[in-house]
């Protein structure tokens, strides 16, 4: 953004699902400020209060609803032309595999689009490990969400939806 003389800010979303998430969000925001982003906003969200709730679509869907709601509100409040998301090629593969496993059929093969309305995904061509290498090279801290590594079956005994962590475990 600086090279192109474009304004760029950041929104750090704290899902409040783990102890200390507020400190993790504050550290992420501080790093954004150090990078020269302005404004840098931290938004805490309620995951179980999304339009689909924690039951329909599971906690991942509720977290996504809450996160995208916070991002959209911040973008509107700041007059942002676009919101860049950090999805990587690994996220894309997980999305396709989960869609197929959940029975979405060929429609799942499309995965996440690089551009959809306000949303932009500039890192879809990079593996997660590459994004971590970039962070290390720049001296940036990053966090691996412990929930993403949690062991568990493809489908819980209660019939709840498949989890991304299950796909990561088998990859």
């Amino acid at each position: 953004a600086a090279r192109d003389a474009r304004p760029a800010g950041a929104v750090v979303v704290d899902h409040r699902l783990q102890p200390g998430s507020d400190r993790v969000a504050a550290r992420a925001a501080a790093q954004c400020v150090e990078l020269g982003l302005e404004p840098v906003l931290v938004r805490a969200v309620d995951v179980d209060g999304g339009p689909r709730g924690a039951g329909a679509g599971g906690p991942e869907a509720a977290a996504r609803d809450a996160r995208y709601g916070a991002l959209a509100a911040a973008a509107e409040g700041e007059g942002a032309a676009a919101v860049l998301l950090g999805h990587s090629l690994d996220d894309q593969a997980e999305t396709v595999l989960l869609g197929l496993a959940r029975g979405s059929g060929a429609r799942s093969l499309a995965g996440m689009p690089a551009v959809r309305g306000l949303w932009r995904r500039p890192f879809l061509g990079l593996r997660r490990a590459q994004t971590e290498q970039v962070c290390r090279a720049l001296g940036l801290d990053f966090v691996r969400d412990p929930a993403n590594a949690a062991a568990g079956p493809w489908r819980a005994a209660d019939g709840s939806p498949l989890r991304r962590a299950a796909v990561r475990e088998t990859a």
Side-chain angles (χ1 to χ4, degrees):
R3 277 185 244 144
D4 292 339
R6 293 182 187 199
V11 180
V12 178
V13 179
D14 177 5
H15 294 85
R16 299 188 287 192
L17 295 175
Q18 298 164 2
S21 66
D22 57 336
R23 290 187 304 278
V24 172
R27 176 64 186 133
Q31 289 186 120
C32 291
V33 169
E34 290 167 14
L35 288 170
L37 299 173
E38 175 63 34
V40 175
L41 310 171
V42 176
R43 296 292 185 253
V45 296
D46 292 317
V47 169
D48 60 355
R52 291 187 268 185
E60 288 177 4
R64 182 177 49 251
D65 288 344
R67 179 173 56 255
Y68 277 74
L71 293 172
E76 182 177 344
E78 296 298 324
V83 175
L84 306 181
L85 303 170
H87 295 112
S88 68
L89 183 59
D90 298 77
D91 298 314
Q92 182 74 294
E94 292 163 5
T95 297
V96 170
L97 289 172
L98 279 172
L100 289 171
R102 290 174 176 159
S104 297
R107 179 177 54 165
S108 299
L109 296 176
M112 294 180 284
V115 175
R116 176 183 287 155
L118 185 65
W119 315 116
R120 308 287 188 275
R121 295 179 176 89
F123 303 134
L124 285 181
L126 296 175
R127 300 293 312 258
R128 183 174 296 119
Q130 291 172 299
T131 65
E132 291 176 359
Q133 288 172 342
V134 170
C135 288
R136 281 187 203 95
L138 294 173
L140 299 173
D141 297 332
F142 61 90
V143 175
R144 288 190 182 117
D145 184 350
N148 290 338
W154 280 81
R155 184 169 293 280
D158 66 359
S160 61
L162 299 174
R163 298 176 308 114
R164 284 190 179 276
V167 173
R168 290 182 182 131
E169 291 165 8
T170 61

